[in-house]
Amino acid sequence: MSGTIVMPAPDQHILARRDAIHQALAAVLPADGLITAPDELRAYECDALTAYRCAPLAVVLPRSTEEVAAAMRVCHQMGVKVVPRGAGTSLAGGALPTADSVVIGTMRLRDVLELDLESRFIRVQCGVTNLSVSAELEPHGFFYAPDPSSQLACTIAGNIGMNSGGAHCLKYGVTTNNLMAAKVVLVTGEVVEFGGPEPGAAGLDMLGLFCGSEGQLGIVTEAILRILPRPEGARPVLIGFGDAVTAGECVARIIRSGVLPVAIEYMDEPCLRAVEAFARAGYPECPAVLIVEVEGAPEEIDHQIAAIREIAGALNPVEFRESRSEAEAVAIWKGRKSAFGAMGRLGDYLCLDGTVPVSKLPATLKRIGELSAQYGLEVANVFHAGDGNMHPLILFNANKPGDLEKAEAFGADILRACVEAGGCLTGEHGVGIEKRDLMGAQYGPDDLAIQMEIKSLFDPDWLLNPAKVYPLEASAPFRAGKGGAA
Ligand SMILES: Cc1cc2nc3c(=O)[nH]c(=O)nc-3n(C[C@H](O)[C@H](O)[C@H](O)COP(=O)(O)OP(=O)(O)OC[C@H]3O[C@@H](n4cnc5c(N)ncnc54)[C@H](O)[C@@H]3O)c2cc1C
């Protein structure tokens, strides 16, 4: 596989100093905190965007903020680029190394440091997985809201890096809405803290700036996360429709009605076929299915479901299935939760992540269908419909020459269509390398220049997470230290 995304040639001066860099890192880290053997480095050569691979110069696996800072100081002094990495589940190539960079992986930082139920926060080291935070909170009747489908593996560090979301973010927001503070190691090795357990600190919103910065501004090692009391109950309903446009209309009407479900998930026919073959979830055979989950006290749930039944009923659904027990609720979610695994069995896929205003969902789905016919590649749609966060999965054959490139061009057209519809390039997966060269479709040159000036303030030599987020050509003057107001 080759693909269309270009990575810069490695810095030969850095490669020539490989041994000296290894020795300098070894001097500040415990023996098991540094990987330099080529065979072992291969485990870090890609993230979940597996079409792109490159073994790094070294991998550092610190156990404390101090070790992260020590490694950063060495890299900074020697002019070595650094790729921050959590669990490596980024679908955008956000944690892809370059041959002249050192990966600093924070997955060994996994202690829970403090739980304050009265003030409703949990303080954790950032290598903890998203799911383990909720597991920690469960016995206390609390939960952490952002729930990426990858939550079993992905870390809080990566969630902060990508400002991740999930099915239940419609009601509670994404990571930035649930992050209260972060401890960050800057490129020089200095340690700073943004935010705190009390809301509304004075001054610039540095935490908001850092959340979603994709490893461009520093390495996060600890975080304070907002926690919420578990609702009394939650119940999903499944609604099948005879066409995608009507399903999209149903989403728009639910949102317009003022009912605020925790999740509205959408699956189209290709996805439903794959899910049925994989998980036998018992979903209806129809072109589009919505799963809508509401929560609260029993009477509140009944009230919301009645409203949704009325809205959906006016649109002649082919099926309206209510869960009446925990087992029925699990059965409704079963297929959606296994959708990514099911699609993986069909072959290689690119998972996109654009957003559109909810009112533009039907038209955008139609456009994706037209593009699918034009490119001759099948696409399956499974996504968070309530907040217009689309995840078209483009199926291709990695062994067929030219197919990946075709899939990437198709994906770029879909993302441009999202922007044209008033949406944006990424709802939750981030830019990484995948959408780097499309940033000009979303931002004008002045907008991009301001972002890159801010990056230059934190990282004047552009050592952090190279070749991600900003198009190579537009960022060249900034990387050369010559960027300025556009
Ligand atoms: C099957 C599957 C399903 C997914 N579902 C969802 C979903 O529902 N919602 C969603 O939002 N995402 C989803 N993702 C994408 C991915 O899981 C998220 O982006 C996740 O937050 C990445 O976490 P990670 O720990 O794997 O980070 P990585 O992939 O290692 O890194 C992600 C980004 O964060 C940066 N980073 C990592 N650690 C640090 C650090 N310590 N300091 C600073 N920056 C850092 C990296 O440089 C990179 O830019 C899915 C991925 C897969 C494979």
Side-chain angles (χ1 to χ4, degrees):
M1 282 199 289
S2 48
T4 56
I5 300 162
V6 175
M7 293 300 279
D11 183 336
Q12 293 302 325
H13 297 292
I14 295 293
L15 296 187
R17 293 163 68 213
R18 174 186 298 266
D19 291 345
I21 294 164
H22 288 173
Q23 281 162 19
L25 287 169
V28 298
L29 293 163
D32 71 345
L34 176 65
I35 297 174
T36 57
D39 275 3
E40 293 174 43
L41 290 177
R42 288 186 61 192
Y44 297 87
E45 68 183 8
C46 69
D47 52 25
L49 186 66
T50 53
Y52 293 88
R53 291 166 188 268
C54 179
L57 200 65
V59 173
V60 171
L61 298 175
R63 286 202 164 82
S64 65
T65 301
E66 292 69 33
E67 286 181 11
V68 174
M72 281 283 251
R73 271 194 296 276
V74 167
C75 291
H76 183 243
Q77 281 156 13
M78 301 186 84
V80 181
K81 299 184 182 81
V82 168
V83 176
R85 182 183 169 105
T89 65
S90 168
L91 288 160
L96 176 73
T98 54
D100 55 0
S101 63
V102 168
V103 167
I104 300 188
T106 47
M107 67 288 259
R108 283 184 179 169
L109 296 165
R110 40 176 183 242
D111 287 345
V112 172
L113 303 169
E114 187 181 356
L115 175 58
D116 187 333
L117 297 178
E118 276 167 22
S119 308
R120 300 206 170 163
F121 70 77
I122 185 167
R123 192 160 65 87
V124 295
Q125 287 188 312
C126 280
V128 295
T129 62
N130 176 290
L131 194 64
S132 64
V133 173
S134 283
E136 182 78 25
L137 296 171
E138 188 154 9
H140 305 282
F142 281 76
F143 73 108
Y144 175 58
D147 59 342
S149 310
S150 53
Q151 64 182 164
L152 182 64
C154 69
T155 66
I156 293 298
N159 295 175
I160 295 172
M162 291 309 198
N163 190 18
S164 299
H168 290 83
C169 289
L170 174 59
K171 183 166 179 181
Y172 299 109
V174 292
T175 301
T176 193
N177 308 108
N178 294 278
L179 178 66
M180 301 172 79
K183 184 180 273 189
V184 174
V185 180
L186 300 177
V187 72
T188 51
E190 279 168 84
V191 180
V192 295
E193 289 188 41
F194 301 136
E198 299 85 26
L204 294 179
D205 180 9
M206 301 302 288
L207 188 64
L209 180 66
F210 188 81
C211 187
S213 62
E214 303 199 22
Q216 295 289 320
L217 307 181
I219 295 196
V220 60
T221 59
E222 286 180 26
I224 299 182
L225 309 173
R226 174 170 294 116
I227 61 173
L228 299 166
R230 282 214 160 274
E232 231 178 285
R235 260 167 56 198
V237 296
L238 180 151
I239 319 169
F241 285 100
D243 65 277
V245 175
T246 312
E249 178 60 26
C250 184
V251 176
R253 289 192 192 184
I254 291 172
I255 298 291
R256 204 162 53 219
S257 75
V259 174
L260 184 54
V262 257
I264 306 183
E265 296 290 294
Y266 175 100
M267 283 174 280
D268 72 359
E269 199 166 16
C271 174
L272 290 166
R273 256 188 281 123
V275 160
E276 275 312 302
F278 180 57
R280 310 236 175 278
Y283 288 169
E285 276 181 38
C286 60
V289 156
L290 297 178
I291 295 176
V292 186
E293 181 162 288
V294 294
E295 65 178 22
E299 10 359 302
E300 217 180 327
I301 290 178
D302 287 345
H303 176 73
Q304 293 179 82
I305 290 185
I308 292 166
R309 194 188 304 110
E310 194 180 326
I311 292 165
L315 293 165
N316 300 318
V318 297
E319 180 159 345
F320 188 93
R321 190 186 300 172
E322 263 180 63
S323 59
R324 304 231 170 251
S325 65
E326 179 61 23
E328 284 177 11
V330 169
I332 284 182
W333 274 111
K334 182 179 172 195
R336 170 62 184 91
K337 294 209 174 198
S338 56
F340 280 89
M343 299 309 297
R345 290 197 345 157
L346 295 184
D348 305 299
Y349 65 75
L350 281 185
C351 174
L352 304 182
D353 166 50
T355 66
V356 294
V358 170
S359 61
K360 299 287 168 55
L361 278 174
T364 311
L365 285 166
K366 188 162 167 274
R367 180 75 190 123
I368 292 172
E370 289 162 3
L371 287 167
S372 169
Q374 182 186 319
Y375 279 96
L377 291 176
E378 199 177 3
V379 65
N381 286 289
V382 46
F383 61 87
H384 314 309
D387 32 27
N389 186 189
M390 308 187 76
H391 291 320
L393 300 176
I394 300 175
L395 299 170
F396 70 101
N397 180 353
N399 295 318
K400 192 169 159 197
D403 233 28
L404 170 62
E405 290 77 2
K406 204 173 13 158
E408 287 181 339
F410 179 9
D413 277 352
I414 292 178
L415 293 177
R416 282 191 205 97
C418 289
V419 173
E420 279 160 22
C424 62
L425 292 176
T426 171
E428 54 185 19
H429 294 174
V431 178
I433 57 163
E434 184 214 0
K435 307 174 192 88
R436 183 192 70 195
D437 299 329
L438 288 170
M439 285 288 271
Q442 176 96 62
Y443 297 106
D446 292 353
D447 305 326
L448 262 184
I450 285 184
Q451 292 197 31
M452 292 189 284
E453 281 174 39
I454 292 172
K455 154 121 175 122
S456 294
L457 285 177
F458 280 83
D459 181 19
D461 302 320
W462 281 58
L463 295 177
L464 292 175
N465 214 3
K468 317 286 160 45
V469 186
Y470 301 109
L472 297 183
E473 205 181 325
S475 63
F478 294 87
R479 283 184 279 125
K482 294 179 191 138

